Amino acid sequence: MIPLILLLQRTTIEEKLKHSPNTGYQIGVLIGSFLPFVLLLGVAYWMYYRAKKADSNE
């Protein structure tokens, strides 16, 4: 399922970059496409850290 989503997303990003009006738009597209993944990784790490800290307190 994830490879399918990444394949669809990659095609959309490449299409947007090909038809971008300037480099500022290209940077915005790249940041906007990777930001959700970075935030998700940050939340996952935070949850892991909290669970590990709670486990060591017991």
Side-chain angles (χ1 to χ4, degrees):
M1 182 74 174
I2 291 176
L4 178 62
I5 293 171
L6 291 176
L7 181 63
L8 291 174
Q9 183 180 13
R10 182 176 172 193
T11 313
T12 305
I13 292 170
E14 289 175 356
E15 186 71 25
K16 287 181 180 180
L17 290 178
K18 189 189 326 181
H19 298 296
S20 64
N22 58 20
T23 58
Y25 183 79
Q26 291 176 350
I27 293 169
V29 167
L30 291 175
I31 291 172
S33 64
F34 291 117
L35 188 62
F37 295 113
V38 171
L39 291 176
L40 183 63
L41 286 174
V43 169
Y45 178 75
W46 176 75
M47 290 174 63
Y48 169 77
Y49 177 75
R50 294 275 306 213
K52 187 176 177 182
K53 187 177 177 183
D55 190 37
S56 67
N57 287 339
E58 289 180 358

